[in-house]
Amino acid sequence: MNNRVTTRVLAVTTTALLALGGAAACSTDGAAGADPERVDVVAAFYPLQFVAERIGGDAVRVTNLVKPGAEPHDLELNPRQVGDVSEAELVVYLKGFQPAMDEAVAQNAADRAFDVATVQPLLDATAGGHEHDGEEGEAEESGGKDPHFWLDPTRLAAVGDQLAERLGRADPDRAADFTSRARDLHADLDALDAEFKAGLGTCERQEIVTSHTAFGYLAQRYGLEQVGITGLDPDTEPSPKRLAEVAEEARAHKTTTIFFETLVSPKIAETIAAEVGAKTAVLDPIEGLTGDAGSSDYLSVMRTNLQTLRTALGCS
């Protein structure tokens, strides 16, 4: 048994004895106890869970703090989840995206946290197209930076490469396995990128009208123009002025489809669509999976997005 496993066994044993003695009163609801044979990883939301599981394989136990169907922007941590962050060997998060997560990391896991925003700089919120007009009350995450980097597969691949290195530090005996799986993931994401380039290379239209300005990275990577009804915060209510502006742009570009997403209400998108004679369709920012996602994962949802875009934009 190596030193890492020995340390983990001692830690788990000590924790169990304290709980039996009444010194600990933590809830047992949720994630299972620590496995001394695996690296405990906490992922702040789904795309980070996907990468951690692909690279870690059976050598990691990944806990996603956002339940399926929940909006990750709105994350509030319960005591058990704070405990998960405190006890994890590696915490994978995006600084500025979830304030509750930032606070938990700062207080409990600063020395074991991997901020994926450090891998590549985040884009300004206006990248990839028109942004919400910045009315009073709008507050953008990440200081005006767009956090949705994973919608560019090449950026997610770069995060995966760095995550493999961080996992290798936590479990040196399996470092080569992490590197190998990261290489496989990188190849899959390169293939996905090639599919998007080919699929969106020749289209009648390049403008995408979205309910939530989450697609700047995708738009920049594949030569599209994003027109957002609301800003980065999906809960922001657009003003009548903004609705009129978006409707005007949709008519000017002969937009056939107004996009809404899986985890927020489609009402605003339906309002614009009715006004300009367009239809609505789901374009998923993949911030999380729905509760009925079944076997879907990041790759399959991205491919569904590609087919939706090709139909809406008249791609040949």
PDB file of all heavy atoms in Angstrom, residues 5 17 24 26 28 58 71 93 119 133 151 165 205 256 277 284 294 306:
ATOM      1  N   VAL A   5      -2.363   6.014  -0.165  1.00  0.00           N
ATOM      2  CA  VAL A   5      -3.464   5.169   0.275  1.00  0.00           C
ATOM      3  C   VAL A   5      -3.444   5.012   1.784  1.00  0.00           C
ATOM      4  O   VAL A   5      -4.474   5.065   2.457  1.00  0.00           O
ATOM      5  CB  VAL A   5      -3.393   3.789  -0.415  1.00  0.00           C
ATOM      6  CG1 VAL A   5      -4.432   2.839   0.174  1.00  0.00           C
ATOM      7  CG2 VAL A   5      -3.604   3.941  -1.914  1.00  0.00           C
ATOM      8  N   LEU A  17     -14.277   7.149  13.510  1.00  0.00           N
ATOM      9  CA  LEU A  17     -14.259   7.065  14.960  1.00  0.00           C
ATOM     10  C   LEU A  17     -14.834   8.315  15.604  1.00  0.00           C
ATOM     11  O   LEU A  17     -15.582   8.251  16.589  1.00  0.00           O
ATOM     12  CB  LEU A  17     -12.821   6.839  15.443  1.00  0.00           C
ATOM     13  CG  LEU A  17     -12.228   5.441  15.138  1.00  0.00           C
ATOM     14  CD1 LEU A  17     -10.747   5.414  15.480  1.00  0.00           C
ATOM     15  CD2 LEU A  17     -12.994   4.365  15.890  1.00  0.00           C
ATOM     16  N   ALA A  24     -18.695  14.327  15.518  1.00  0.00           N
ATOM     17  CA  ALA A  24     -19.095  14.868  14.223  1.00  0.00           C
ATOM     18  C   ALA A  24     -20.584  14.634  14.045  1.00  0.00           C
ATOM     19  O   ALA A  24     -21.109  13.597  14.425  1.00  0.00           O
ATOM     20  CB  ALA A  24     -18.334  14.161  13.090  1.00  0.00           C
ATOM     21  N   CYS A  26     -22.323  15.325  10.917  1.00  0.00           N
ATOM     22  CA  CYS A  26     -22.569  15.608   9.504  1.00  0.00           C
ATOM     23  C   CYS A  26     -23.657  14.688   8.977  1.00  0.00           C
ATOM     24  O   CYS A  26     -23.791  13.546   9.395  1.00  0.00           O
ATOM     25  CB  CYS A  26     -21.288  15.398   8.693  1.00  0.00           C
ATOM     26  SG  CYS A  26     -19.973  16.537   9.184  1.00  0.00           S
ATOM     27  N   THR A  28     -25.442  12.149   6.412  1.00  0.00           N
ATOM     28  CA  THR A  28     -24.962  11.080   5.541  1.00  0.00           C
ATOM     29  C   THR A  28     -25.657  11.109   4.189  1.00  0.00           C
ATOM     30  O   THR A  28     -25.407  10.264   3.342  1.00  0.00           O
ATOM     31  CB  THR A  28     -25.200   9.712   6.201  1.00  0.00           C
ATOM     32  OG1 THR A  28     -26.592   9.558   6.468  1.00  0.00           O
ATOM     33  CG2 THR A  28     -24.416   9.598   7.490  1.00  0.00           C
ATOM     34  N   ASP A  58     -11.520   4.977 -13.638  1.00  0.00           N
ATOM     35  CA  ASP A  58     -11.866   4.330 -12.375  1.00  0.00           C
ATOM     36  C   ASP A  58     -10.904   4.672 -11.243  1.00  0.00           C
ATOM     37  O   ASP A  58     -11.030   4.146 -10.138  1.00  0.00           O
ATOM     38  CB  ASP A  58     -11.951   2.808 -12.557  1.00  0.00           C
ATOM     39  CG  ASP A  58     -10.646   2.196 -13.055  1.00  0.00           C
ATOM     40  OD1 ASP A  58      -9.627   2.930 -13.159  1.00  0.00           O
ATOM     41  OD2 ASP A  58     -10.635   0.988 -13.359  1.00  0.00           O
ATOM     42  N   GLU A  71     -29.873  24.874 -12.234  1.00  0.00           N
ATOM     43  CA  GLU A  71     -29.127  25.945 -12.892  1.00  0.00           C
ATOM     44  C   GLU A  71     -27.838  26.200 -12.109  1.00  0.00           C
ATOM     45  O   GLU A  71     -27.878  26.585 -10.946  1.00  0.00           O
ATOM     46  CB  GLU A  71     -29.993  27.214 -12.938  1.00  0.00           C
ATOM     47  CG  GLU A  71     -29.278  28.466 -13.396  1.00  0.00           C
ATOM     48  CD  GLU A  71     -28.608  28.297 -14.730  1.00  0.00           C
ATOM     49  OE1 GLU A  71     -29.315  28.043 -15.724  1.00  0.00           O
ATOM     50  OE2 GLU A  71     -27.368  28.429 -14.778  1.00  0.00           O
ATOM     51  N   TYR A  93     -12.983  23.940 -10.488  1.00  0.00           N
ATOM     52  CA  TYR A  93     -14.029  24.960 -10.532  1.00  0.00           C
ATOM     53  C   TYR A  93     -13.624  26.080 -11.472  1.00  0.00           C
ATOM     54  O   TYR A  93     -12.506  26.075 -12.013  1.00  0.00           O
ATOM     55  CB  TYR A  93     -14.299  25.501  -9.123  1.00  0.00           C
ATOM     56  CG  TYR A  93     -13.301  26.527  -8.613  1.00  0.00           C
ATOM     57  CD1 TYR A  93     -13.708  27.819  -8.296  1.00  0.00           C
ATOM     58  CD2 TYR A  93     -11.952  26.222  -8.442  1.00  0.00           C
ATOM     59  CE1 TYR A  93     -12.807  28.776  -7.821  1.00  0.00           C
ATOM     60  CE2 TYR A  93     -11.049  27.142  -7.963  1.00  0.00           C
ATOM     61  CZ  TYR A  93     -11.478  28.420  -7.659  1.00  0.00           C
ATOM     62  OH  TYR A  93     -10.583  29.364  -7.206  1.00  0.00           O
ATOM     63  N   VAL A 119      -6.200  28.279 -17.296  1.00  0.00           N
ATOM     64  CA  VAL A 119      -5.617  27.558 -18.429  1.00  0.00           C
ATOM     65  C   VAL A 119      -5.566  28.453 -19.659  1.00  0.00           C
ATOM     66  O   VAL A 119      -4.558  28.537 -20.356  1.00  0.00           O
ATOM     67  CB  VAL A 119      -6.420  26.280 -18.732  1.00  0.00           C
ATOM     68  CG1 VAL A 119      -5.872  25.576 -19.964  1.00  0.00           C
ATOM     69  CG2 VAL A 119      -6.394  25.352 -17.528  1.00  0.00           C
ATOM     70  N   ASP A 133     -27.732  45.146 -23.517  1.00  0.00           N
ATOM     71  CA  ASP A 133     -27.318  46.543 -23.558  1.00  0.00           C
ATOM     72  C   ASP A 133     -26.909  47.130 -22.221  1.00  0.00           C
ATOM     73  O   ASP A 133     -26.758  48.343 -22.108  1.00  0.00           O
ATOM     74  CB  ASP A 133     -28.418  47.415 -24.197  1.00  0.00           C
ATOM     75  CG  ASP A 133     -29.767  47.252 -23.501  1.00  0.00           C
ATOM     76  OD1 ASP A 133     -29.853  46.481 -22.522  1.00  0.00           O
ATOM     77  OD2 ASP A 133     -30.734  47.891 -23.950  1.00  0.00           O
ATOM     78  N   LEU A 151     -17.887  25.541 -24.666  1.00  0.00           N
ATOM     79  CA  LEU A 151     -18.584  25.466 -25.952  1.00  0.00           C
ATOM     80  C   LEU A 151     -17.623  25.596 -27.135  1.00  0.00           C
ATOM     81  O   LEU A 151     -18.037  25.470 -28.283  1.00  0.00           O
ATOM     82  CB  LEU A 151     -19.680  26.523 -26.015  1.00  0.00           C
ATOM     83  CG  LEU A 151     -20.822  26.273 -25.013  1.00  0.00           C
ATOM     84  CD1 LEU A 151     -21.827  27.408 -25.029  1.00  0.00           C
ATOM     85  CD2 LEU A 151     -21.509  24.945 -25.272  1.00  0.00           C
ATOM     86  N   GLU A 165      -2.470  16.653 -15.542  1.00  0.00           N
ATOM     87  CA  GLU A 165      -1.258  16.956 -14.781  1.00  0.00           C
ATOM     88  C   GLU A 165      -1.569  17.112 -13.300  1.00  0.00           C
ATOM     89  O   GLU A 165      -0.837  16.612 -12.441  1.00  0.00           O
ATOM     90  CB  GLU A 165      -0.617  18.221 -15.351  1.00  0.00           C
ATOM     91  CG  GLU A 165       0.785  18.514 -14.842  1.00  0.00           C
ATOM     92  CD  GLU A 165       0.789  19.312 -13.555  1.00  0.00           C
ATOM     93  OE1 GLU A 165      -0.202  20.059 -13.335  1.00  0.00           O
ATOM     94  OE2 GLU A 165       1.747  19.197 -12.770  1.00  0.00           O
ATOM     95  N   ARG A 205     -27.032  31.664 -43.334  1.00  0.00           N
ATOM     96  CA  ARG A 205     -27.022  32.705 -42.306  1.00  0.00           C
ATOM     97  C   ARG A 205     -25.939  32.401 -41.279  1.00  0.00           C
ATOM     98  O   ARG A 205     -25.563  31.238 -41.095  1.00  0.00           O
ATOM     99  CB  ARG A 205     -28.399  32.763 -41.601  1.00  0.00           C
ATOM    100  CG  ARG A 205     -29.527  33.252 -42.500  1.00  0.00           C
ATOM    101  CD  ARG A 205     -30.894  33.076 -41.837  1.00  0.00           C
ATOM    102  NE  ARG A 205     -31.232  31.671 -41.659  1.00  0.00           N
ATOM    103  CZ  ARG A 205     -31.732  30.898 -42.625  1.00  0.00           C
ATOM    104  NH1 ARG A 205     -31.948  31.389 -43.835  1.00  0.00           N
ATOM    105  NH2 ARG A 205     -32.016  29.619 -42.387  1.00  0.00           N
ATOM    106  N   THR A 256     -34.783  32.490 -38.863  1.00  0.00           N
ATOM    107  CA  THR A 256     -35.875  31.515 -38.887  1.00  0.00           C
ATOM    108  C   THR A 256     -36.105  30.855 -37.529  1.00  0.00           C
ATOM    109  O   THR A 256     -37.154  30.241 -37.315  1.00  0.00           O
ATOM    110  CB  THR A 256     -35.578  30.399 -39.901  1.00  0.00           C
ATOM    111  OG1 THR A 256     -34.400  29.670 -39.487  1.00  0.00           O
ATOM    112  CG2 THR A 256     -35.342  30.977 -41.289  1.00  0.00           C
ATOM    113  N   GLY A 277     -42.289  35.885 -36.664  1.00  0.00           N
ATOM    114  CA  GLY A 277     -42.687  34.769 -37.513  1.00  0.00           C
ATOM    115  C   GLY A 277     -41.649  33.669 -37.606  1.00  0.00           C
ATOM    116  O   GLY A 277     -41.537  32.990 -38.633  1.00  0.00           O
ATOM    117  N   ASP A 284     -28.334  24.124 -26.472  1.00  0.00           N
ATOM    118  CA  ASP A 284     -27.970  23.801 -25.092  1.00  0.00           C
ATOM    119  C   ASP A 284     -26.586  24.345 -24.757  1.00  0.00           C
ATOM    120  O   ASP A 284     -25.596  23.965 -25.395  1.00  0.00           O
ATOM    121  CB  ASP A 284     -27.984  22.277 -24.916  1.00  0.00           C
ATOM    122  CG  ASP A 284     -28.013  21.849 -23.464  1.00  0.00           C
ATOM    123  OD1 ASP A 284     -27.525  22.611 -22.607  1.00  0.00           O
ATOM    124  OD2 ASP A 284     -28.514  20.749 -23.183  1.00  0.00           O
ATOM    125  N   GLY A 294     -30.593  10.690 -19.656  1.00  0.00           N
ATOM    126  CA  GLY A 294     -30.260   9.319 -20.022  1.00  0.00           C
ATOM    127  C   GLY A 294     -28.772   9.145 -20.225  1.00  0.00           C
ATOM    128  O   GLY A 294     -27.962   9.488 -19.368  1.00  0.00           O
ATOM    129  N   LEU A 306     -25.054  20.938 -32.979  1.00  0.00           N
ATOM    130  CA  LEU A 306     -24.585  21.141 -34.350  1.00  0.00           C
ATOM    131  C   LEU A 306     -25.715  20.903 -35.350  1.00  0.00           C
ATOM    132  O   LEU A 306     -25.909  21.712 -36.280  1.00  0.00           O
ATOM    133  CB  LEU A 306     -23.409  20.208 -34.637  1.00  0.00           C
ATOM    134  CG  LEU A 306     -22.885  20.199 -36.085  1.00  0.00           C
ATOM    135  CD1 LEU A 306     -22.460  21.599 -36.519  1.00  0.00           C
ATOM    136  CD2 LEU A 306     -21.729  19.210 -36.227  1.00  0.00           C
TER     137      LEU A 306
END
